[in-house]
Each structure stands twice: as C-alpha cells, then as structure tokens.
Amino acid sequence: MESLLSAAFPDANFILNNDSASHHGHMGDDGSGESHFSLTIEWAGFAGMNRVARQRTVNKALGDLPGQRVHALAIKATAPGE
C-alpha cells in the first residue's frame, strides 16, 4: 500500500498503521495480519476537496486492495494547514 500511495500522492506526508493485531478474531480478520489499517495523509492536492472526495481519491489509488485483501481502512485525509 505504501508504494501505491507514494506513486499516487507525490510529496504527501502519510502514516500507514497496520491495526490488524487489535482486530484478531473479529469479523474480517483473515489471519494474514494485514486486514485492518488506518491511514493519515496530508497532501496539497486535497485542497478544495470535501472529505468524501478525498476518501474516494485514496481508495481509487489503492485499487482493489480495500474490500478485497484489506477488510478495513480508516482514512484521515487533509490538505496542508488544516
């Protein structure tokens, strides 16, 4: 996911956390250790976009990962200065 995010959002600052361990045994945990993630991303390209548009932009960049290999992805997307 990190390489996809870096390619799609040049010059973005982001932190991608694997939260799967805290969801062990819950719905969506496939045992791979890569089912639940949280992303905080700051990118100038998000300026003027609302929250939904930002999340759609992130999901588009990640392709089929969310909903296929990744059960859950919490996204906090901001523009610089927000």
Side-chain angles (χ1 to χ4, degrees):
M1 276 197 287
E2 289 181 348
S3 62
L4 293 171
L5 292 167
S6 293
F9 304 105
D11 302 320
N13 295 314
F14 67 86
I15 300 170
L16 180 65
N17 292 309
N18 184 339
D19 303 323
S20 301
S22 62
H23 294 275
H24 180 71
H26 296 179
M27 179 176 276
D29 175 29
D30 62 3
S32 70
E34 294 189 346
S35 60
H36 294 75
F37 291 85
S38 57
L39 171 67
T40 302
I41 182 168
E42 180 184 79
W43 182 55
F46 290 139
M49 289 185 184
N50 65 30
R51 182 182 57 84
V52 173
R54 292 172 182 187
Q55 291 190 358
R56 285 181 179 154
T57 302
V58 170
N59 284 326
K60 183 177 178 182
L62 294 175
D64 66 350
L65 286 177
Q68 299 291 325
R69 278 191 28 217
V70 175
H71 173 72
L73 175 63
I75 302 168
K76 179 180 179 187
T78 60
E82 294 183 340

